[in-house]
Amino acid sequence: MAAYTGSEDADSDTETNPGTNRAGGRTDGAARRDEAVRAAVEQGLVSPSTPLVALLDITGIRSSVTALRAAFDAVTAPGTPVLHAFAVKATPLVPVLRLLHREGIGMEVASPGELALARAAGVPPSRTVLDSPAKTPAELREALALGIAVNADNPQELARIDALVGSASTRSPLGLRVNPQVGGGSIGALSTATATSKFGVALRDEGAREWVVRAYLDRPWLTRLHTHSGSQGMPLELMARGVAEAYGLAEEINGRAGRRQIDTLDIGGGLPVNFGSDVHTPTYEEYARLLASSVPGLFDGRYGLVTEFGRSLLAKHGVVLARVEYAKSAGGRAIAVTHAGVQVAARTVYAPESWPLRVAAYDAKGRPKTGPEVVQDVAGPACFAGDLLAQGRSMPLLEQGDYAAALDTGAYYFAHHYGYNSLARPAVHGFGPDGAGGVRFATVRAAQTIDELVAESGGAFTEALTAGPSA
């Protein structure tokens, strides 16, 4: 399948006009999604023999990038260095990273694997930021040799960097991550600014703030300050408070240094996503304006800026499309048994209250289903009772041969496969207009084959535990 360049641009729904298109009807994104589902069925990307596929809206991704850049450009002093770095963990797929790079987005990486993906996508070290609470000496050495920006997580890591900086020169901008301890959001596992968070130096612990200030004063090469308060479930006001705490600390350090030692603030990402409808809310514009009003000095040109958004750039632009293999009932409840479950939506299956997904119903030809709504479950293929994409959901009745579409799955879903029951990873395809009123697809990742699954599971070492003297 040929690569899709997206040169035939379609009208896009930007986040400055969420929810409706110019005619006041469905969002452009929803219309594009319906067209892509129908085309995926017609072109055989999904079928009885290929019952599961993931789709990415290229036009929608570009619109989110545009909205992000415009939102911060509107509040930032002209000439301010700004790097919007995509959190690779959200969708670690090389073609996606390449697309974002071509749209002017850098990369935030948190492991050797993520760094390798960013490099494979052609992202230069100067537009890459390394964050992680557990960097090895080898990871640090590589990053400093390449000139990648590094945010140290703790005093012990900073001591490792001391040794490396002392033994070899580096072009890497270096900073320290602090935990402002402003509190958590509604999802504890994603709240990184709590009193006991594992991330960064906890600023409100006894003696910690003074230690941080002294760490900077003793190291003239420490020029960045990083914070990130959390993501899904975090109110914007709490995120802004975390940024304000970091800004205040930077001002204190620079004041005591008698110069602008800290020249860049990395404010992380974390913009929540609305999983309840097609509306993009909250928006980058809302967040940028809140920061401008609550931390005005952040944007006056004295500090460079780094952001690390992930989920909010990709989530609304992904669909997992699964064929209904069987339609049955139990206890008076209709159940659609599909091929999408815990292997693509582990968070939703194991924590449905925190991670509910919308599911749209399409018929066997890929057309949106209409008709009376029926309370039903949408189940996955895994061998445990809780493998449900949706439970007790009202929608047009899904029947055998129909398709269930899990929406808003462009981040942290199909790119984070969970190998339960040795279910193979599905193919991922990007889609956009073909210039003739139709839909063109491009392969982002091929479906995992059974042979690849066997190899990944030790197939090359079949006799490892039965051969030899100990057998």
Side-chain angles (χ1 to χ4, degrees), residues 451 454-464:
D451 287 344
V454 171
E456 187 177 86
S457 300
F461 309 101
T462 303
E463 300 297 336

Side-chain angles (χ1 to χ4, degrees), residues 298-314:
L298 180 66
F299 298 117
D300 64 11
R302 291 179 298 124
Y303 292 99
L305 186 68
V306 177
T307 71
E308 300 176 354
F309 296 103
R311 178 182 290 106
S312 54
L313 277 169
L314 268 293

Side-chain angles (χ1 to χ4, degrees), residues 250-273:
E251 291 283 276
E252 179 181 348
I253 292 169
N254 285 349
R256 289 178 59 175
R259 64 187 181 89
R260 193 168 64 93
Q261 177 174 340
I262 295 178
D263 59 23
T264 300
L265 291 173
D266 184 334
I267 65 171
L271 191 75
V273 169

Side-chain angles (χ1 to χ4, degrees), residues 182-194 229-236 238-239 272:
V182 294
S186 62
I187 303 176
L190 298 188
S191 299
T192 56
T194 58
S229 296
S231 52
Q232 193 67 18
M234 290 290 291
L236 298 190
L238 197 59
M239 293 167 57

Side-chain angles (χ1 to χ4, degrees), residues 65-82 84 288 299 305:
V65 170
T66 298
L68 169 60
R69 298 179 69 175
F72 280 85
D73 286 349
V75 298
T76 304
T80 301
V82 178
H84 295 297
F299 298 117
L305 186 68

